[in-house]
Amino acid sequence: MPLETGTYRLFGRRATLAYLNTIAPAAARLVGEHFGRRPLATTQILLTTPTGLGQLFRSTQAGLAGVSENTADPAMRLMRAEPRQLYSTTTPRPGKAGGTLTLINARRNRHARDLEESLLYELVAVDQLGRPKARERWITVVRDLCGVAPQPPHVRKALEKDFAAADKEAARVVEALAPRLRDAA
């Protein structure tokens, strides 16, 4: 799995980025072995601030829905928490090349254990987004939230159920793989 790491609007934290660069290949290998289906999608992992996280997430959702960034504000509900409380999030990247964008809040992931668990959680999300029709479902939700292509209530409910199941699965996998990642690091 091609991994690209970097920072966005974040100064300092070189040690955190260095540690992320050290554990990311091992975490990707563990997640790949766990699922064993296919290689994970090309992933860009960015350490950022809460403000940067919100900006990047909003602009990515706008690109996916084909709307302006202001119109994409309702899509912010796809994040599991407010940017200041959020540890990390993953989203498909717009464009035909696909891939995913993982945003890690450097202010919340101050300890190695937090960073390891956030990275594993988001790499599971990368695998989930690589499953058949997952990208299309994500775009359907974004377009619905932005008012571009409203969905009937039963479709919304089914999509919400899919997202909740994915979160539960990711939590289970992190619990199983975190000790192995600590041993590998």
Side-chain angles (χ1 to χ4, degrees), residues 1-3 20-41 43 45 119-120 123-124 126-127 173 177-185:
M1 164 177 124
L3 289 174
L20 177 66
N21 286 328
T22 301
I23 65 168
R29 182 182 47 75
L30 285 172
V31 170
E33 288 172 1
H34 179 80
F35 290 109
R37 288 189 283 265
R38 67 197 154 275
L40 297 176
T43 302
I45 303 169
L119 182 61
L120 282 171
L123 289 174
V124 171
V126 169
D127 179 81
V173 172
L177 296 182
R180 292 177 55 198
L181 180 59
R182 282 185 207 103
D183 291 343

Side-chain angles (χ1 to χ4, degrees), residues 46-150:
L46 295 176
L47 278 174
T48 187
T49 63
T51 303
L53 191 146
Q55 290 171 343
L56 285 171
F57 190 83
R58 183 180 297 108
S59 66
T60 303
Q61 302 321 297
L64 288 169
V67 298
S68 71
E69 283 191 40
N70 293 338
T71 309
D73 277 344
M76 297 295 282
R77 292 188 302 198
L78 287 171
M79 289 195 290
R80 294 177 294 277
E82 293 296 318
R84 291 200 184 290
Q85 284 78 43
L86 192 66
Y87 280 79
S88 57
T89 191
T90 294
T91 179
R93 289 195 323 205
K96 294 183 191 239
T100 59
L101 174 64
T102 295
L103 304 170
I104 297 178
N105 183 348
R107 303 239 165 91
R108 292 291 287 186
N109 290 282
R110 291 185 177 159
H111 305 287
R113 184 180 187 131
D114 294 336
L115 187 60
E116 293 162 358
E117 290 176 0
S118 292
L119 182 61
L120 282 171
Y121 190 96
E122 298 310 333
L123 289 174
V124 171
V126 169
D127 179 81
Q128 292 168 341
L129 286 169
R131 294 175 185 171
K133 304 288 183 192
R135 181 180 171 83
E136 290 79 11
R137 280 193 304 270
W138 185 283
I139 293 171
T140 299
V141 170
V142 171
R143 293 175 60 79
D144 176 50
L145 289 171
C146 294
V148 175

